[in-house]
Amino acid sequence: MSEEIVVLSDAEEFYYAGNEIGVLVSHGFTGTTQSMAYLGKRLADEGFTVYGPRLRGHGTTPEDMETSTFKEWIEDVEAGLARLKETCSKVFVTGLSMGGTLTLYLAERHPELAGIMPINAAVEMSEFESYYLSLKGKERFIDGIGSDIKAKGIQELAYAKTPVQSMGELVQLLKVVQKGLGEITVPALILSSKVDHVVPPLNSQIIYEDIRSDVKELVKLEDSYHVATLDNDKEFIADQCISFIHKCME
C-alpha cells in the first residue's frame, strides 16, 4: 500500500464560495498555494467565487514532485476550471510563474474564458533549458528557486531543492504553451516585475506581443521580484486584477 501524501501546512488548496464570477488561481513551479493566498482572499472579499488548487507534487516533498508530470499539472487546472464552471457563468484565470504559464495554456484551449491575469509567467526559458540539459542524468536535485522576494522578512513556502526531472517537465510545458500563444483571444492583463531573478521579464513582453487578444495590457510591477504576489506590490496586483475583472464584466 502506498504511503499517504502529507500536505504541508498553508500549502492546501483553497476555495471560497461567492457569486457567479469565478476566478481560478494557480501557484508556480515548486511553490504552493501560500504564494497566492493573499490574492485569492482579496478576490473572494470582492464577492467572486475563488479556487486555488494544489498542483500535484507540490506542497508535499521534492521526492513526490519528482514523480509528477506537466500533463498532471494541466489536468489539475482543467479540473479547477471545470469545478468553477459548475456554479459560475464567467470564469477568469490568474497564476504566478508556471501558474501563469498554465493560465495561458487554459486560454489557448478555452476561448470562452472571461479573461486572464498571468503574473511573471514563463514561456521562453532557453537558459533554464540549457541548464536542465547540463544536469540531466547527472544530478537528481539542485538548490531551490523559491523566495525571490524584495520585501524583507517575507518567505515563500517552496521546496529547498528542485527535482531535475521536474525541470524537464517544465521545459516541455513551456514549449507547448509558447507554440500556442497566437491562439489566445481572451482579454488579458499581463503583470510583470521589472526585476525578476527567476523568469526574465522579456517573457511578459513576448506574451503581450504574441497573443491575439483585442483587449490586452502589460503592467509593470516596480517594487517586487519574482514572487510578486507575496512582495511589495501584492496589494497593487490585487487591485489591478479586481479592476480588470470588473471592466471585463461591464
Side-chain angles (χ1 to χ4, degrees), residues 96 119-120 193 221 224-231 233-234 237:
L96 171 71
I119 305 160
N120 292 332
S193 294
L221 305 174
S224 296
Y225 294 157
H226 183 62
V227 192
T229 49
L230 288 176
D231 214 332
D233 291 308
K234 69 177 186 179
I237 291 168

Side-chain angles (χ1 to χ4, degrees), residues 5-8 11 32 54-65 159:
I5 297 295
V6 177
V7 178
L8 299 171
T32 64
R54 179 184 66 84
L55 301 176
R56 265 174 277 185
H58 292 72
T60 53
T61 65
E63 290 77 15
D64 179 37
M65 183 178 184
Y159 290 143

Side-chain angles (χ1 to χ4, degrees), residues 4-15 24-28 30-34 36 51-61 64-65 67-68 72-77 79-80 83 98 102 157 159:
E4 186 181 352
I5 297 295
V6 177
V7 178
L8 299 171
S9 178
D10 294 330
E12 306 92 350
E13 66 172 43
F14 56 79
Y15 180 84
L24 182 66
V25 180
S26 180
H27 67 78
T30 76
T32 64
T33 55
Q34 175 253 7
M36 306 304 288
Y51 180 42
R54 179 184 66 84
L55 301 176
R56 265 174 277 185
H58 292 72
T60 53
T61 65
D64 179 37
M65 183 178 184
T67 65
S68 61
E72 289 178 328
W73 304 332
I74 286 170
E75 288 171 5
D76 293 338
V77 292
R83 179 175 178 179
M98 184 180 79
L102 290 166
L157 180 60
Y159 290 143

Side-chain angles (χ1 to χ4, degrees), residues 91-153:
V91 179
F92 292 81
V93 185
T94 184
L96 171 71
S97 192
M98 184 180 79
T101 311
L102 290 166
T103 296
L104 296 166
Y105 178 92
L106 289 177
E108 290 171 4
R109 284 152 181 83
H110 294 276
E112 75 278 8
L113 287 177
I116 56 170
M117 301 158 286
I119 305 160
N120 292 332
V123 290
E124 206 297 306
M125 298 277 283
S126 52
E127 284 188 21
F128 179 86
E129 181 177 359
S130 297
Y131 184 39
Y132 159 68
L133 292 172
S134 74
L135 296 167
K136 187 180 178 184
K138 299 171 188 169
E139 300 286 345
R140 185 178 173 192
F141 297 102
I142 60 166
D143 288 342
I145 57 169
S147 291
D148 184 33
I149 298 171
K150 185 176 182 181
K152 301 298 180 200

